[in-house]
Amino acid sequence: MEKTALITGASRGIGRAAALRLAREGWKVCINYIERKDKAEEVCSILKKEGTEAMCIQADVADKAQVEAMANAVREKLGPISLLVSNAGIAGQMQIQDVKEESWDRYFDVNVKGAYNAIQAVLPDMLHAHAGSIVTVSSMWGLRGASCESVYSATKAALIGLTRSLALELAPTGIRVNCVAPGVINTDMVQVLGQETLGKLAEMTPLGRLGTPEDVAAAISFFAGTEAGFITGQVLTADGGFIV
Ligand code: NAP
């Protein structure tokens, strides 16, 4: 099967770093985004300059029809999809009594239904090939509790349940499903916390620094590659030791 990757939320942060790394490892790459066309096109043009077959496409992962159309466009342009990195996600902090129903729904629609939509959209290619790899991006807060992040944490725990169950369901078909659970990674997502809090979080991290998107991309690349050929259903925490 040819190496064609669909990475959701790849215009910025962890998804962007994964796109750059996977491209350098020989993958054709589709960069998905929702709003930042400028950022997605920037990644795409870097990849094309490096000789990678790449495309970028706008789709809200929460919208099943948009995700299906995206997968079809990838197939048409880059060929059957053999790697899905389900990375797009949203985060925020709030006390549970302040969580509006629309927010609850949106978190689950993007973070959990987004993965379901993307997995269903790429599966026909992988089932046909009896091969393929799916990497979900959860969080260390999917494994531990996080005060004022109960909704986010619940979505990320759901992704881990999805990953483990799907790994068992798809194992007989040769498709592997694994999960990366990042710690505090220095991307746009965490800037809302402010420099002082980020500094404290770096101090609380045993390795003494915030993670970089490249740190997480390395874990994604491991699961994607043939060296992880006997590994499925696993959660790899890339958090500098935060939740050890
Ligand atoms: P980020 O810098 O905020 O980037 C988010 C990416 O997701 C962007 O490419 C964004 O596209 C895209 N996106 C958001 N909503 C989308 C939607 N509905 N449909 C399609 N794309 C969408 O985030 P990040 O820090 O790289 O996080 C990536 C993943 O890692 C997320 O799942 C996050 O929960 C997880 N994670 C992050 C951290 C951390 O500390 N940063 C820790 C643990 C887990 P646009 O550019 O178009 O907006």
Side-chain angles (χ1 to χ4, degrees):
M1 199 176 187
E2 278 204 61
K3 291 170 76 172
T4 300
L6 168 59
I7 308 170
T8 64
S11 46
R12 295 182 285 124
I14 291 166
R16 177 186 195 273
L20 294 172
R21 179 163 182 145
L22 290 167
R24 285 162 197 162
E25 291 168 354
W27 292 87
K28 300 185 224 174
V29 175
C30 174
I31 293 132
N32 158 253
Y33 68 99
I34 184 165
E35 279 176 356
R36 297 298 304 270
K37 187 174 186 200
D38 57 327
K39 291 286 178 187
E41 283 179 344
E42 186 186 295
V43 183
C44 209
S45 91
I46 294 172
L47 296 186
K48 284 181 177 166
K49 272 188 203 136
E50 291 180 357
T52 297
E53 275 187 70
M55 64 189 283
C56 57
I57 190 157
Q58 194 272 340
D60 179 352
V61 292
D63 185 312
K64 192 156 193 58
Q66 288 185 29
V67 174
E68 277 168 5
M70 168 168 70
N72 286 334
V74 178
R75 268 178 210 117
E76 209 164 285
K77 193 155 181 194
L78 303 179
I81 299 158
S82 46
L83 169 65
L84 168 68
V85 182
S86 180
N87 164 77
I90 52 173
Q93 298 194 307
M94 57 207 123
Q95 291 184 304
I96 193 71
Q97 61 269 35
D98 297 330
V99 178
K100 300 253 183 323
E101 193 180 350
E102 308 87 82
S103 302
W104 175 276
D105 288 345
R106 185 64 185 159
Y107 274 85
F108 273 84
D109 282 353
V110 175
N111 293 0
V112 187
K113 193 177 169 201
Y116 150 79
N117 285 338
I119 289 164
Q120 276 200 340
V122 304
L123 259 186
D125 290 344
M126 296 186 183
L127 289 171
H128 183 74
H130 297 282
S133 175
I134 295 169
V135 182
T136 59
V137 179
S138 174
S139 162
M140 63 178 174
W141 302 135
L143 291 158
R144 296 285 189 281
S147 173
C148 298
E149 292 202 64
S150 53
V151 187
Y152 179 73
S153 178
T155 64
K156 293 299 182 177
L159 275 179
I160 291 173
L162 179 72
T163 302
R164 289 181 173 144
S165 301
L166 210 53
L168 292 173
E169 186 176 320
L170 295 176
T173 70
I175 300 166
R176 297 180 298 104
V177 190
N178 291 290
C179 173
V180 176
V184 187
I185 311 301
N186 201 1
T187 66
D188 293 345
M189 181 174 272
V190 298
Q191 299 314 311
V192 65
L193 299 173
Q195 284 312 305
E196 198 185 328
T197 302
L198 287 175
K200 282 186 191 148
L201 287 166
E203 280 171 24
M204 286 164 69
T205 303
L207 284 178
R209 65 172 175 86
L210 300 180
T212 63
E214 291 73 23
D215 288 326
V216 185
I220 293 170
S221 144
F222 169 66
F223 280 140
T226 49
E227 288 192 352
F230 199 52
I231 298 175
T232 195
Q234 298 307 302
V235 181
L236 179 55
T237 308
D239 70 346
F242 203 105
I243 63 162
V244 170

